[in-house]
């Protein structure tokens, strides 16, 4: 496994029916965002033939995986959690090399993934259905859950381990088989995770990993052999996947972008609010769907908040994620860097003020973007369109009505936070802010694996939309209602 000084290029293969196979598609690479000269992994992308083989393997493996039973499948996930604890440091270093996030963030993501695997393993012992009274004396009425079939899993690069685990672990627990198309910028982390699941005892064909671009994902979600698709990524891709799946009757779960607001009320503890807001806006270089992008200050708190935010933002230091002094790493790619810089230029040309900036290393080869706090109004494009980088905009409103209206003035509805001790304001925000996750006096980022997580409006897709918590079983299973008479009517003794 990789260590902090490894710069060797990993040669990756596709996992199909329990075998690591070389593909014959186009050559592709993942690069170290902190040093793009360094090729982290190299691979040939999967072909349509590979896709067909993987789906055939997934279908063939369904019956035996079903027979293992949910308790046995839970044991496999528990073993995977233990293996991930053993391999944690190597995978965290690899993640920092390939994705760019700080080693502290990578370690945090590995730890959260261990918790996800233990949580899903433990869920094996939860109730799997409901029983109901019957109007017939000797009849039992109950629901049972059955696997959906072969599930297509499509994941982004920003959480290359945790988001796949949120999907793959419950899919496997409930008896499905999986074809996983991981993000093309982080293939090495996905291979490390798939390898670990195989070592934990996932049988051949139950998990198949295909490496390749978005067009491979499109072929996967369009395939009639895929019964359900779980996707996390951008809104445009999500909309295309909706067309490919829903019309042909496949189940779909999507987690898409966000444009998350933090409302700061006049009575807020300003120092604490500022610290949470900067962490939520800037950690992981702002490349979290749940990052705070808009800071809405109500009335006079604006100036005090600005004074508290400025030194925190100015102290941020971008640098290689492997370097303990870096507050944040680079963004994922040259393209991402260009997009964030262009969005900042547009904001300035539209009248945004630069209120505070952190630093980027001079003459460093990585894709660094200066952490930036902007001031302005909702007339700025950047306050409506998702920019995936370390940028947030401070806006001022007169009262709570205006704050809620502004928080809701995007097409998204992922997360939000409100900073106040005013019970009335808390209640109104919980009721009226359109977001699937709302934190009071906390950051818009972060969630617990045992609580449901999902967005509203363009940030998700209607029911059953949520990942994690009990409710994810509704996506990974089909429910049947059984009426069971132990003796046929008229023959009861
Ligand atoms: P993306 O949509 O470009 O790609 C996501 C995945 O979809 C990748 O594996 C990609 O190869 C694949 N893909 C691309 N085109 C496809 C197509 N036509 N059909 C099928 N699959 C296709 O997103 P990204 O750049 O990897 O990730 C960043 C985006 O993800 C941001 O918008 C962010 O907000 C969102 N995100 C959302 C959440 C959430 O929980 N709501 C979490 C993380 C990231």
């Amino acid at each position: 496994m990789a260590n902090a000084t490894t710069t060797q290029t990993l040669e990756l293969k596709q996992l199909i029916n329990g075998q690591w196979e070389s593909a014959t598609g186009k050559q592709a690479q993942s690069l170290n965002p902190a040093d793009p000269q360094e090729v982290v992994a190299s691979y040939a992308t999967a072909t349509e033939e590979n896709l067909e083989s993987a789906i055939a393997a997934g279908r063939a493996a369904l019956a035996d995986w079903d027979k293992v039973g949910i308790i046995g499948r839970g044991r496999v996930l528990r073993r995977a959690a233990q293996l991930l604890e053993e391999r944690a440091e190597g995978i965290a270093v690899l993640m920092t090399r390939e994705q760019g996030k700080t080693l502290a963030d990578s370690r945090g993501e590995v730890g959260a993934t261990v918790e996800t695997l233990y949580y899903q393993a433990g869920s094996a012992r939860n109730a799997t259905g409901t029983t109901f009274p019957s109007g017939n004396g000797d009849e039992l009425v109950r629901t049972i859950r059955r696997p959906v079939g072969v599930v297509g899993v499509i994941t982004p690069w920003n959480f290359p381990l945790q988001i796949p685990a949120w999907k793959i672990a419950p899919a496997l627990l409930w008896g499905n088989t999986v074809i996983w198309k991981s993000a093309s910028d982080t293939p090495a982390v996905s291979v490390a995770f798939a390898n670990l699941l195989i070592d934990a005892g996932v049988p051949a064909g139950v998990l198949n990993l295909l490496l390749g671009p978005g067009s491979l994902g499109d072929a996967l979600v369009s395939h009639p052999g895929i019964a359900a698709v779980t996707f996390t990524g951008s809104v445009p891709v999500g909309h295309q996947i909706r067309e490919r799946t829903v019309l042909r009757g496949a189940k779909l779960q999507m987690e898409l972008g966000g444009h998350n607001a933090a409302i700061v009320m006049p009575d807020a503890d300003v120092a604490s609010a500022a610290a949470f807001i900067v962490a939520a806006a800037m950690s992981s270089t702002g490349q979290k769907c749940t990052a705070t992008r808009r800071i809405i200050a109500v009335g006079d708190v604006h100036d005090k908040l600005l004074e508290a935010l400025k030194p925190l933002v100015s102290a941020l230091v971008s640098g290689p994620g492997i370097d303990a002094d870096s507050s944040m790493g680079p963004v994922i790619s040259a393209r991402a860097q260009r997009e964030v810089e262009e969005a900042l230029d547009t904001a300035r040309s539209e009248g945004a003020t630069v209120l505070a900036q952190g630093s980027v290393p001079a003459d460093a080869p990585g894709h660094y973007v200066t952490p930036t706090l902007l001031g302005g109004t909702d007339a700025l494009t950047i306050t409506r369109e998702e920019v995936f980088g370390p940028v947030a905009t401070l806006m001022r409103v007169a009262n709570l009505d205006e704050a809620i209206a502004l928080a809701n003035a995007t097409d998204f509805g992922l997360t939000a936070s409100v900073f106040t001790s005013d019970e009335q304001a808390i209640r109104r925000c919980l009721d009226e802010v359109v977001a699937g996750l709302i934190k009071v006096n906390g950051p818009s980022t972060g969630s617990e694996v045992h609580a449901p997580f999902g967005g509203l409006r363009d940030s998700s897709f209607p029911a059953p939309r949520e990942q994690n918590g009990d409710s994810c079983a509704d996506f990974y299973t089909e429910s049947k209602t059984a009426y069971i008479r132990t003796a046929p009517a008229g023959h009861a003794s």
Side-chain angles (χ1 to χ4, degrees):
M1 187 46 66
N3 61 48
T5 54
T6 298
T7 53
Q8 172 199 352
T9 301
L10 302 166
E11 301 294 333
L12 305 180
K13 295 181 177 178
Q14 319 282 329
L15 177 63
I16 300 170
N17 203 17
Q19 302 295 318
W20 290 100
E21 290 184 14
S22 299
T24 54
K26 281 191 188 147
Q27 279 298 318
Q29 297 175 328
S30 63
L31 307 176
N32 181 342
D35 181 2
Q37 295 293 321
E38 183 194 326
V39 180
V40 176
S42 141
Y43 58 100
T45 55
T47 59
E48 283 211 9
E49 205 184 329
N50 296 137
L51 176 65
E52 291 297 339
S53 306
I55 293 174
R59 290 176 95 143
L62 275 169
D64 283 349
W65 188 230
D66 187 22
K67 285 191 201 117
V68 171
I70 193 163
I71 302 285
R73 295 192 295 262
R75 283 197 189 108
V76 172
L77 294 179
R78 193 172 63 219
R79 179 78 189 118
Q82 291 162 344
L83 282 179
L84 185 54
E85 283 178 311
E86 287 167 20
R87 298 180 192 179
E89 189 61 12
I91 292 184
V93 170
L94 178 64
M95 190 184 299
T96 289
R97 245 186 107 201
E98 189 172 55
Q99 200 275 350
K101 63 178 73 181
T102 63
L103 194 50
D105 279 345
S106 294
R107 287 177 179 146
E109 181 171 345
V110 172
T113 307
V114 169
E115 291 302 317
T116 298
L117 292 167
Y118 276 126
Y119 169 71
Q120 292 296 347
S123 303
R125 292 177 189 275
N126 288 350
T128 57
T130 314
T131 57
F132 298 89
S134 166
N136 297 312
D138 60 352
E139 193 173 53
L140 174 68
V141 182
R142 58 160 299 204
T143 58
I144 50 176
R145 290 188 183 277
R146 296 292 297 145
V148 182
V150 186
V151 175
V153 171
I154 303 197
T155 52
W157 47 264
N158 64 337
F159 285 93
L161 191 68
Q162 189 177 357
I163 289 177
W166 281 3
K167 299 171 184 300
I168 293 169
L172 297 184
L173 179 76
W174 289 103
N176 303 284
T177 60
V178 167
I179 316 296
W180 175 21
K181 206 300 278 174
S182 63
S184 43
D185 286 321
T186 49
V189 173
S190 57
V191 165
F193 188 43
N195 208 13
L196 179 149
L197 289 165
I198 298 299
D199 290 349
V202 172
V206 170
L207 172 68
N208 303 274
L209 170 63
L210 298 179
L211 307 175
S215 54
L216 177 66
D218 188 34
L220 172 65
V221 300
S222 308
H223 198 289
I226 297 295
V229 170
T230 173
F231 169 75
T232 296
S234 60
V235 172
V237 172
H239 285 179
Q240 186 174 327
I241 292 178
R242 184 170 56 195
E243 283 169 24
R244 302 283 197 257
T245 50
V246 175
L247 291 180
R248 68 175 178 81
K251 278 181 109 169
L252 175 62
Q253 176 189 60
M254 300 202 293
E255 292 292 348
L256 307 177
H259 210 311
N260 315 298
I263 296 175
V264 183
M265 294 296 289
D267 73 312
D269 175 336
V270 169
S272 159
F276 278 129
I277 287 170
V278 171
M282 304 293 177
S283 64
S284 288
T285 325
Q287 297 175 115
K288 290 184 181 180
C289 53
T290 52
T292 297
R293 311 260 180 231
R294 297 172 298 144
I295 308 160
I296 302 173
V298 178
D300 292 342
V301 81
H302 176 274
D303 294 357
K304 279 186 275 177
L305 181 63
L306 176 56
E307 288 317 304
L309 289 169
K310 270 184 184 170
L312 296 176
V313 174
S314 306
L316 294 170
V317 179
S318 306
I322 206 76
D323 182 343
D325 294 335
S326 304
S327 339
M328 66 177 71
V331 292
I332 185 75
S333 62
R335 185 176 137 199
Q337 181 183 15
R338 211 169 38 245
E339 283 173 1
V340 181
E341 282 168 354
E342 281 171 10
L344 278 168
D345 286 346
T346 304
R348 282 192 207 96
S349 70
E350 290 173 345
T353 327
V354 175
L355 299 174
Q357 286 194 303
S359 61
V360 289
D363 303 325
H367 306 305
Y368 295 104
V369 173
T370 311
T372 302
L373 176 67
L374 295 174
T377 69
D378 63 338
L380 301 173
T381 309
I382 205 165
T383 64
R384 291 185 306 278
E385 292 180 5
E386 186 186 41
V387 174
F388 222 52
V391 184
T393 307
L394 176 63
M395 296 179 278
R396 180 183 188 140
V397 294
N399 53 45
L400 182 58
D401 286 334
E402 285 184 22
I404 292 173
L406 186 53
N408 291 342
T410 74
D411 294 333
F412 298 100
L414 192 56
T415 67
S417 52
V418 54
F419 294 90
T420 183
S421 299
D422 176 342
E423 282 182 29
Q424 190 64 21
I426 293 172
R427 239 168 95 177
R428 284 202 54 201
C429 287
L430 293 180
D431 285 349
E432 296 174 38
V433 172
V434 182
L437 183 153
I438 305 185
K439 297 241 186 106
V440 178
N441 298 314
S444 63
T445 50
S447 63
E448 299 275 1
V449 67
H450 50 274
F453 174 78
L456 301 173
R457 298 202 290 213
D458 259 1
S459 295
S460 196
F461 179 70
R465 66 184 170 84
E466 290 157 328
Q467 304 191 90
N468 299 335
D470 289 349
S471 41
C472 74
D474 292 336
F475 178 73
Y476 292 105
T477 59
E478 284 171 341
S479 178
K480 296 179 181 175
T481 307
Y483 290 73
I484 306 159
R485 286 194 191 187
T486 47
H491 293 86
S493 57

